[in-house]
């Protein structure tokens, strides 16, 4: 139960690898309790995600990340976690447009209809800088984290202070200024949808 919580970051990585090696050599089942999702995702063969004592999903780490059962799991797994925001779905046959704040975004064609009001989700790495001619969300840069191998941009969708926020992950060191206008494009095929109870809706 939280065996690494009092270790510094470098030692935590080392001991985590030793625990994984120990478990594999002993070929025995271990139950590991942690609030650190990196530990859960790297050590676990199957991970149970709990919210207020209730199991939300039990799955392999990659399934938790790629196929979250509900909005809680989607917003919990990942660092930064999945961007989640309220949206209105406007359907024209199989084509769907999302109204996010005051902006519209067309998403991949769907066979399954969407309810009018949904929670839409997109991972930070599924957001790219938009070209001049491509459809995009108009955002404002609020904060930037330069991490060497990647840049995390914290963005506001529109000028309104109450507008939805999202985090975008860009490869390498990319320079952005605070309050800079930035056009970004979520991958239309990698947008998740959840109903008003938070349950994941079937893809496609």
């Amino acid at each position: 139960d939280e065996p690494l919580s009092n270790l510094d970051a470098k030692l935590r990585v080392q001991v985590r690898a030793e625990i994984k090696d120990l478990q594999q050599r002993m070929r025995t089942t271990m139950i590991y309790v942690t609030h650190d999702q990196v530990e859960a995702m790297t050590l676990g063969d199957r991970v149970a995600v709990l919210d207020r004592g209730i199991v939300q999903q039990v799955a392999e780490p990659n399934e938790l990340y790629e196929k979250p059962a509900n909005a809680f799991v989607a917003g919990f797994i990942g660092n930064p976690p999945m961007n989640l925001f309220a949206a209105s779905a406007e359907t024209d046959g199989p084509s769907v447009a999302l109204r996010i704040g005051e902006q519209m975004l067309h998403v991949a064609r769907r066979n399954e209809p969407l309810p009018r009001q949904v929670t839409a989700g997109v991972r930070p790495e599924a957001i790219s800088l938009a070209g001049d001619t491509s459809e995009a969300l108009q955002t404002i840069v609020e904060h930037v984290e330069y991490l060497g191998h990647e840049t995390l941009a914290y963005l506001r969708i529109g000028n309104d202070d109450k507008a939805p926020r999202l985090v975008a992950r860009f490869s390498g060191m990319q320079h952005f200024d605070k309050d800079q206008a930035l056009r970004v494009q979520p991958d239309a095929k990698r947008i998740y949808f959840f109903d008003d109870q938070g349950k994941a809706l079937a893809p496609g």
Side-chain angles (χ1 to χ4, degrees), residues 15-32 42-46:
V15 177
R16 189 171 70 215
E18 291 177 357
I19 291 174
K20 183 70 172 180
D21 180 66
L22 178 65
Q23 188 273 331
Q24 291 176 339
R25 285 191 286 109
M26 294 181 65
R27 296 179 179 274
T28 188
T29 299
M30 293 182 178
I31 298 177
Y32 189 101
T42 55
L43 290 174
D45 297 306
R46 289 179 65 78

Side-chain angles (χ1 to χ4, degrees), residues 31-169:
I31 298 177
Y32 189 101
V33 180
T34 179
H35 286 86
D36 186 330
Q37 60 174 275
V38 173
E39 292 178 16
M41 298 290 278
T42 55
L43 290 174
D45 297 306
R46 289 179 65 78
V47 179
V49 179
L50 285 76
D51 177 28
R52 289 171 289 185
I54 300 174
V55 175
Q56 302 296 311
Q57 186 174 359
V58 181
E60 296 179 0
N62 65 321
E63 184 175 346
L64 287 178
Y65 193 83
E66 296 174 357
K67 299 178 181 178
N70 55 41
F72 176 83
V73 176
F76 182 76
I77 296 296
N79 185 24
M82 183 183 292
N83 298 292
L84 297 168
F85 34 80
S88 299
E90 300 184 6
T91 304
D92 181 11
S95 298
V96 178
L98 292 179
R99 180 174 292 280
I100 304 169
E102 298 299 318
Q103 301 187 47
M104 297 294 294
L105 180 71
H106 288 84
V107 300
R109 296 164 66 90
R110 292 178 55 88
N111 296 320
E112 296 292 329
L114 286 174
R116 175 71 176 177
Q117 300 297 323
V118 297
T119 296
V122 60
R123 293 282 181 195
E125 63 270 20
I127 300 171
S128 59
L129 294 174
D132 293 337
T133 59
S134 59
E135 183 181 44
L137 291 175
Q138 305 287 344
T139 69
I140 303 296
V141 176
E142 292 193 322
H143 174 65
V144 182
E145 293 181 353
Y146 300 103
L147 303 178
H149 64 293
E150 66 182 10
T151 301
L152 299 178
Y154 294 77
L155 310 172
R156 183 177 73 247
I157 304 175
N159 293 315
D160 188 347
D161 285 342
K162 296 182 180 180
R165 267 72 171 174
L166 57 81
V167 184
R169 170 180 275 129

